[in-house]
Amino acid sequence: MTRQDEWNALLREAGETPEALPETVGQAVARAARHESRSRRARGLVGTLAALAACFVLLVNASVPFALAAGRVPILRALVSAVALDPSLKAAVAHDYVQLVKQTVKQDGVTLSVEYLVADPRNLTVFYTVTDDAGRPVTLHPSLLDADGNDLPASAVYGEELADLGQDERRDPEAVRRAQGNLCKCKFHLSGEASGQLPAGVILHAEAALDDLSDERQDLNLSFELPLTIGERFRNAVRTFPVGQTVSVLGQALTIDRLEVYPTNTRIVWRTDPENTGWLTWLPFYLTDENGVRVDGIANGVSGIAGDQSSGWGETWLESAWFDTADELTVHLDEAAVLEKAGAQVTLYADHTAEGLPDWVWLSEEERWGGMEGADLWHFGVNKGAYRSNTDILYYEYTDADGKVFDTFTERSTTAHFASKTDGADFICHYGFDPDARYPLTVTLSFAPGQTLAQPVALCASDAK
């Protein structure tokens, strides 16, 4: 389903009067009446029509579902459009879990307007527009600070401002202005075992740059700092389901510590036994509740943090189960992948031969245009088994003949396998090695084919209240 299809479906849903609308209207009328009573002492009697108008305005600002159903308010239409491909955020908007912000700051012709936010103790999504008086293709690089200006341990997902514009359109001020009218979002995820909670006061810091796709981003030496106050109900929104059980997965000990259910994602916190003989490189958990409702992995965005190979623990992220009223959740694991620690290292030689490759990965003859000049490109064919997508197969560090450690590749990417010269590959991995690296190189595998578990895992957990 495309973004437009999702949007049209949401509009059709919003066109139907919500079942709770009469009750919501009644509550709003009562609130408006109380407001009128308080105001009468200062301004005199408010007429019936004015009261009804105030009631409608109150509902529009307080209830996103009502605004969608009753008025198709343009800025709220933009909000629903912005979350159309994000199931968790879409559910948050549908349940009126949105904080109105309406803050604007302007510098050197560039205006940043923050309209809404959706927050919980470990996640923050900021909805904004960024416009430029001259129609320049402005993009933002956001980060999150605490109230004292210190960096918070949060990863950011961003870059929507000009996502649908090609190079020619980005050089057209009118096309850029039209695009800059769209509501964008940036998502922050607090990460790490001891990251704590989102504080009540944070600062959205954003560096502005120009991006016309012709070269690297052009720094404008322009930054914004916009303080945001997170409402208490957002900062306390978490449900914890203790698990504390250890299971065997493909011969490896895996402990599920707990489920943390937030309005914008669900986190499965797990760890492995250091004595395991292999690394669990793929853990596609999902959840079901007592009614059989299923919650799967993140559809668009970050799917988790840490990992067995790098940390011995991790958080696997799913879509949110927050708006489900279930008191019990069951963690399921039907498939997994294990990479044996012995034999994970592979040696690459200057003549483009390799030693130690397992049978599910091999050197491919497939080439790809667009490689960085000067990089030594290698191509690997891969069988992925039950694994559901393409991914990297090499760990990010490698060592050359002098013992020098390189912590990044000059290029890394994957392509789907359609008409490869190498028969049988599910996808092709491409890596560019630093031209200063002296062969032979030692690389470490980070991928193994997915397997269906002979004994699927199912662990039940109850909400800790």
Side-chain angles (χ1 to χ4, degrees):
M1 180 176 286
T2 66
R3 184 183 180 90
Q4 187 61 46
D5 292 336
E6 287 269 5
W7 171 229
N8 291 336
L10 281 168
L11 284 183
R12 286 194 297 272
E13 293 174 10
E16 302 173 0
T17 303
E19 293 181 2
L21 184 58
E23 179 183 355
T24 303
V25 171
Q27 293 171 349
V29 168
R31 289 197 298 269
R34 290 195 296 271
H35 175 73
E36 180 198 49
S37 177
R38 289 193 298 269
S39 301
R40 187 182 299 120
R41 290 191 295 270
R43 297 191 303 271
L45 182 63
V46 179
T48 301
L49 290 177
L52 288 175
C55 168
F56 182 82
V57 171
L58 178 62
L59 271 173
V60 165
N61 285 281
S63 174
V64 172
F66 177 86
L68 286 171
R72 298 288 203 274
V73 178
I75 188 63
L76 295 177
R77 286 168 56 95
L79 175 61
V80 175
S81 179
V83 302
L85 295 181
D86 190 312
S88 293
L89 287 177
K90 187 164 60 175
V93 171
H95 286 80
D96 201 11
Y97 190 83
V98 179
Q99 179 175 320
L100 184 66
V101 179
K102 286 289 184 183
Q103 295 187 46
T104 298
V105 61
K106 183 172 183 177
Q107 293 186 54
D108 297 341
V110 179
T111 302
L112 171 63
S113 297
V114 175
E115 303 290 345
Y116 302 98
L117 63 81
V118 173
D120 59 49
R122 298 282 294 275
N123 306 279
L124 172 64
T125 301
V126 178
F127 297 90
Y128 66 94
T129 61
V130 57
T131 59
D132 178 63
D133 291 347
R136 296 176 297 173
V138 176
T139 61
L140 297 181
H141 186 291
S143 58
L144 196 63
L145 313 177
D146 64 18
D148 297 322
N150 302 309
D151 287 327
L152 286 172
S155 60
V157 180
Y158 58 93
E160 294 186 347
E161 296 92 352
L162 305 170
D164 296 328
L165 295 187
Q167 188 175 68
D168 290 341
E169 292 172 305
R170 295 189 185 203
R171 293 173 177 173
D172 179 354
E174 291 306 315
V176 170
R177 287 191 181 97
R178 287 192 296 271
Q180 288 177 343
N182 296 328
L183 196 64
C184 304
K185 64 181 180 295
C186 58
K187 302 172 71 173
F188 298 99
H189 303 290
L190 274 71
S191 57
E193 285 186 309
S195 63
Q197 292 189 349
L198 190 69
V202 298
I203 298 173
L204 174 65
H205 178 88
E207 303 283 344
L210 299 181
D211 187 2
D212 64 1
L213 296 180
S214 61
D215 206 339
E216 295 183 358
R217 287 161 46 102
Q218 305 168 46
D219 193 353
L220 289 175
N221 295 317
L222 178 64
S223 63
F224 300 93
E225 288 198 349
L226 204 156
L228 302 172
T229 300
I230 313 299
E232 183 177 357
R233 77 176 179 115
F234 296 93
R235 291 185 292 107
N236 294 329
V238 59
R239 300 173 66 194
T240 301
F241 292 74
V243 182
Q245 297 185 54
T246 300
V247 294
S248 178
V249 176
L250 298 176
Q252 313 304 314
L254 172 68
T255 301
I256 312 298
D257 284 329
R258 64 189 180 278
L259 312 179
E260 297 176 356
V261 180
Y262 302 94
T264 53
N265 76 358
T266 297
R267 303 188 179 197
I268 299 175
V269 183
W270 53 267
R271 53 191 165 87
T272 56
D273 189 331
E275 300 301 317
N276 284 347
T277 61
W279 291 298
L280 292 168
T281 58
W282 184 49
L283 295 169
F285 294 104
Y286 64 94
L287 301 177
T288 57
D289 67 10
E290 61 256 42
N291 300 313
V293 176
R294 176 166 168 157
V295 180
D296 283 301
I298 298 292
N300 295 283
V302 181
S303 60
I305 59 171
D308 189 9
Q309 190 170 12
S310 62
S311 306
W313 68 274
E315 292 181 1
T316 300
W317 296 357
L318 311 182
E319 299 295 352
S320 177
W322 176 259
F323 299 105
D324 192 328
T325 58
D327 293 323
E328 291 186 349
L329 293 173
T330 300
V331 186
H332 297 269
L333 187 65
D334 299 339
E335 301 165 310
V338 62
L339 175 66
E340 292 297 331
K341 297 177 182 180
Q345 289 193 328
V346 175
T347 304
L348 305 180
Y349 296 97
D351 62 355
H352 273 228
T353 59
E355 182 180 355
L357 287 175
D359 57 7
W360 44 264
V361 57
W362 58 91
L363 297 179
S364 171
E365 296 179 0
E366 173 148 322
E367 296 181 358
R368 183 174 61 88
W369 294 101
M372 294 182 64
E373 293 185 6
D376 188 11
L377 292 176
W378 287 67
H379 314 281
F380 299 88
V382 183
N383 284 146
K384 60 185 178 183
Y387 197 92
R388 301 193 194 116
S389 63
N390 302 344
T391 186
D392 289 316
I393 63 166
L394 298 183
Y395 198 62
Y396 63 88
E397 290 184 348
Y398 62 96
T399 306
D400 75 355
D402 297 324
K404 182 178 179 180
V405 177
F406 296 80
D407 62 3
T408 185
F409 295 95
T410 56
E411 180 176 347
R412 60 192 303 175
S413 63
T414 65
T415 54
H417 173 71
F418 296 109
S420 172
K421 298 177 184 178
T422 307
D423 292 335
D426 291 321
F427 62 93
I428 308 293
C429 277
H430 312 273
Y431 292 94
F433 291 88
D434 194 302
D436 293 332
R438 198 168 70 84
Y439 284 92
L441 307 179
T442 300
V443 298
T444 303
L445 297 172
S446 63
F447 173 84
Q451 302 180 50
T452 300
L453 300 183
Q455 296 182 329
V457 173
L459 302 177
C460 185
S462 299
D463 188 0
K465 295 182 179 178

